[in-house]
Amino acid sequence: MALTPAVLGMLAFTLLAFWGVALWALARTLRQEGRKVDILKQQNRMDTYSPKALAELREWIEQNPDDPLVDTARERYNECVEVLRQTDTHYYDWSDEEIARLERV
Amino acid sequence: MADVPTKTARAEWGTRFGFLMAMIGAMVGAGNIWRFPYVMGNNGGGAFVLAFLVLLFLLAVPGLMAEVALGRYTNKGVIGAFREVVGRGGMVGFGIVVLLVNVALMSYYSPLIGWTLYYAIHSLLFTFTAAGFEAETFMESFFANPPLMIALHTIVMGAIAAVLVLGIRRGVERLVVYAVPALVVALVIMTIRGLTLPGASEGIAFTFGIQWEYLTFSDTWIAALGQALFSTGLGWGIALTVGSYLREYDDVPLGGGVFTAIGESSIGILAALAIFPVVFAVGVEPDAGAGLAFISLVQVFPEIPLGGIVAVVFFLGFFLATFTSGLLITEVSVTTVSEETRLSRTQTVLGICGGIWLLGLPSAYSADVLDFLDFVFGNWGLPLATLAIIGVIGWILGPERLRLLAVNRNAGIYVGKWWDPVIKFVIPAVMLFIMGYFAWENFGEPEMIAGMFVIVLFPIVGYAIMSVVEGRHGEPDSAGVTGGDD
């Protein structure tokens, strides 16, 4: 059986879809880890949510005030807000305007 | 109790790389090496790859994110994590189900690791390239030697105990950060050797040739489903346990989900590239399982230049793949029992490994027992464990809560609302389908009856044990987290 263009194309696609994605994920997560270590060396604390994830957490807290886990959620939300206000370097892509608009819940 | 040492703070992975390699080391096992390449080639090649990839992203990636996140959120082993979600009482017994399945799995996996150890030792002795060597006779005489099998099973469990006694960072992590890259290097070396042989293109065409019609066959999707779920070890308690040792600022979804699912499958792809070009170049029939590793490949090594060295590389890599899986399967029980009792880690390791060794004797004695247990637990026991873990996340803790509180916290990628219905509905439905499908396929067979026995008995035993144990510590309370979410 010869190596047809279709077989070679599938081989290339498979390598890209598996090894490409796996190596991308490995490199990205190790790079992120390096950045987290650098930030923690500087200021000992770090923001824990991205703007999108924190907004979603706030929305959930407001919509579920009686949920048994709402206190944990509130604690995590407020912790992130405090860190964002008190630190200069942020892990996620927060702008000064976004941080200024944040309020504790 | 003065001589009972106080347990110190919970261990953590020393490095991000250590956590990632532990996940890959746990999930890459014999199936990636001796099953995946054949299943792929036999189910439409490229068509199977597409079906497999879709199911990986649809089920395995979100499922692993959930399991790792539960471990990280609770910072506990299986039983502790269940208790945190369902509250004290008999329902914690579903964690016992996961433990029982893990112990059963390890009881027949340890003898299998012994097989790979035996072949690795013989590869180092260059037995396979010696004059007059007969692969089939060699394997048959090996399988017909129970004392040798039991001795290998004993060595394997002893070695696993020796590593686990050292702990998470000094034992497990220190080994996997070398073993997993060594496995990849071994497969790469074999791939290069295979691809440079005349006739290797036949193997590539068998594995990566595209037969689109296979996408319309239900068998292709069932095979891809089995591979996506079983190969990634989703819901066996391993990801939960490994995730419970994550550090405060560690990410879950990118490393525990995407990298683990796709990375471990990548090793299966690499195994296909390493094995089939060599097999086809020599003109040996492709096969799966013991037939592939212990007969087909062993017949191939004498026929190729540097075959003795290639055999060493392959069997050492194969041994590492199975050994690291065994290590982390055992760690699931060690972590939980150590947390739930006053036993020290060393006492727990010795107790668990001793128990698994004892339970593994029948499988070490007879490969037929091993095959029977593999079929029963592969088709019903492991899906039951997955159902217990994903069920507790989907229907009691609630996927939205877990996503907001643990998955997206310190995350390397954002996970959106699409994830919630996958965890709550899709994965449990798929697991029920798998158990039902295999029960229907094997209706009335002894394996199916044993499988039903596991499905019914394990939850009852788990519930009964935890009802008694939890009752001793006061009145069972209602769950701290109820109702789940949508």
Side-chain angles (χ1 to χ4, degrees):
Chain A
M1 205 184 295
L3 283 182
T4 62
V7 171
L8 290 173
M10 193 65 218
L11 174 61
F13 168 78
T14 306
L15 289 176
L16 199 67
F18 285 90
W19 279 95
V21 172
L23 291 174
W24 165 80
L26 179 64
R28 186 179 158 101
T29 195
L30 291 178
R31 212 169 43 237
Q32 288 175 341
E33 164 78 359
R35 185 163 150 68
K36 284 179 181 175
V37 169
D38 288 344
I39 292 174
L40 289 172
K41 270 184 196 162
Q42 272 178 39
Q43 54 192 36
N44 212 27
R45 294 175 82 193
M46 196 173 65
D47 47 317
T48 46
Y49 284 95
S50 68
K52 198 172 173 183
L54 194 69
E56 203 183 356
L57 182 63
R58 183 185 183 99
E59 192 186 323
W60 183 85
I61 292 167
E62 287 169 352
Q63 287 173 359
N64 299 276
D66 301 323
D67 191 280
L69 292 182
V70 77
D71 287 340
T72 309
R74 203 175 281 126
E75 197 179 293
R76 292 189 174 189
Y77 180 91
N78 289 337
E79 179 205 7
C80 185
V81 171
E82 287 301 318
V83 171
L84 283 166
R85 284 176 182 165
Q86 291 169 5
T87 55
D88 298 325
T89 311
H90 305 129
Y91 174 69
Y92 292 105
D93 198 14
W94 287 94
S95 68
D96 291 343
E97 294 74 30
E98 282 172 325
I99 296 169
R101 280 200 300 271
L102 287 174
E103 284 176 17
R104 288 170 62 92
V105 288
Chain B
M1 301 306 292
D3 55 345
V4 176
T6 309
K7 291 187 181 177
T8 52
R10 207 162 194 281
E12 288 180 336
W13 297 109
T15 61
R16 181 76 179 155
F17 189 68
F19 159 71
L20 297 170
M21 292 304 105
M23 289 293 282
I24 295 290
M27 307 313 180
V28 173
N32 295 66
I33 311 287
W34 74 13
R35 185 170 180 270
F36 180 80
Y38 184 76
V39 170
M40 187 175 155
N42 221 26
N43 285 283
F48 176 84
V49 167
L50 291 180
F52 178 56
L53 197 60
V54 167
L55 294 172
L56 269 183
F57 275 103
L58 186 69
L59 301 170
V61 171
L64 282 170
M65 285 176 187
E67 196 184 338
V68 175
L70 180 62
R72 192 268 180 72
Y73 174 67
T74 59
N75 266 322
K76 292 195 169 68
V78 175
I79 292 180
F82 272 65
R83 186 183 295 111
E84 195 103 336
V85 177
V86 302
R88 301 187 73 87
M91 289 288 282
V92 181
F94 285 99
I96 295 270
V97 171
V98 178
L99 280 199
L100 291 176
V101 169
N102 262 277
V103 168
L105 168 67
M106 194 54 205
S107 76
Y108 64 82
Y109 199 68
S110 168
L112 190 150
I113 301 171
W115 300 355
T116 65
L117 174 63
Y118 184 70
Y119 272 75
I121 291 168
H122 274 281
S123 71
L124 287 166
L125 298 172
F126 294 100
T127 306
F128 309 131
T129 45
F133 174 78
E134 289 285 341
E136 245 175 297
T137 315
F138 182 81
M139 190 182 85
E140 281 164 9
S141 66
F142 172 50
F143 284 147
N145 190 347
L148 178 58
M149 293 278 200
I150 290 170
L152 288 163
H153 168 53
T154 308
I155 292 168
V156 167
M157 285 317 301
I160 284 176
V163 177
L164 292 183
V165 156
L166 295 172
I168 288 295
R169 207 182 282 197
R170 285 195 310 132
V172 178
E173 183 170 352
R174 199 184 277 177
L175 180 82
V176 293
V177 293
Y178 294 108
V180 175
L183 165 67
V184 173
V185 169
L187 291 173
V188 168
I189 291 171
M190 200 167 152
T191 300
I192 294 168
R193 174 65 282 198
L195 291 178
T196 50
L197 290 171
S201 60
E202 298 280 337
I204 299 289
F206 171 75
T207 322
F208 295 97
I210 314 167
Q211 294 164 281
W212 292 114
E213 68 275 15
Y214 274 78
L215 282 177
T216 63
F217 301 161
S218 59
D219 282 356
T220 306
W221 288 92
I222 297 283
L225 192 59
Q227 194 67 36
L229 292 172
F230 299 130
S231 166
T232 54
L234 170 62
W236 302 1
I238 303 171
L240 187 157
T241 304
V242 173
S244 74
Y245 292 109
L246 279 171
R247 296 163 303 177
E248 188 183 353
Y249 290 104
D250 274 336
D251 141 279
V252 166
L254 183 58
V258 178
F259 174 73
T260 302
I262 306 299
E264 81 87 37
S265 305
S266 299
I267 295 191
I269 299 286
L270 186 58
L273 273 171
I275 292 170
F276 281 133
V278 183
V279 167
F280 276 81
V282 179
V284 174
E285 273 297 298
D287 198 353
L292 172 70
F294 300 149
I295 297 180
S296 301
L297 274 173
V298 170
Q299 285 171 338
V300 159
F301 295 129
E303 305 296 323
I304 59 174
L306 300 174
I309 304 289
V310 177
V312 171
V313 166
F314 174 76
F315 281 113
L316 284 181
F318 194 18
F319 169 67
L320 288 175
T322 56
F323 187 77
T324 52
S325 294
L327 199 63
L328 283 139
I329 292 169
T330 312
E331 179 60 46
V332 173
S333 306
V334 169
T335 292
T336 290
V337 173
S338 171
E339 275 173 8
E340 297 293 322
T341 65
R342 292 180 180 183
L343 297 174
S344 67
R345 184 173 170 95
T346 304
Q347 289 167 329
T348 310
V349 168
L350 294 177
I352 295 286
C353 290
I356 290 173
W357 175 80
L358 206 61
L359 289 171
L361 288 176
S363 298
Y365 184 79
S366 161
D368 291 338
V369 175
L370 190 153
D371 284 344
F372 182 84
L373 290 175
D374 184 32
F375 196 84
V376 170
F377 282 94
N379 290 333
W380 295 288
L382 293 170
L384 180 68
T386 308
L387 204 56
I389 290 183
I390 299 297
V392 93
I393 295 171
W395 290 87
I396 300 177
L397 177 58
E400 189 180 21
R401 288 172 177 148
L402 186 66
R403 185 169 61 82
L404 295 172
L405 295 174
V407 176
N408 278 336
R409 192 168 185 240
N410 300 304
I413 49 170
Y414 170 75
V415 178
K417 289 178 191 291
W418 60 268
W419 188 81
D420 306 346
V422 171
I423 301 302
K424 185 161 187 166
F425 301 108
V426 180
I427 296 178
V430 166
M431 299 323 295
L432 288 171
F433 165 75
I434 282 186
M435 289 195 280
Y437 176 84
F438 286 118
W440 178 70
E441 278 269 288
N442 300 280
F443 193 77
E445 300 287 328
E447 289 88 346
M448 179 261 183
I449 294 166
M452 296 305 108
F453 193 66
V454 167
I455 286 176
V456 174
L457 192 69
F458 277 29
I460 292 174
V461 168
Y463 190 89
I465 291 174
M466 291 319 287
S467 293
V468 173
V469 172
E470 301 278 278
R472 275 192 204 150
H473 299 285
E475 283 297 301
D477 61 18
S478 57
V481 186
T482 53
D485 53 43
D486 294 315

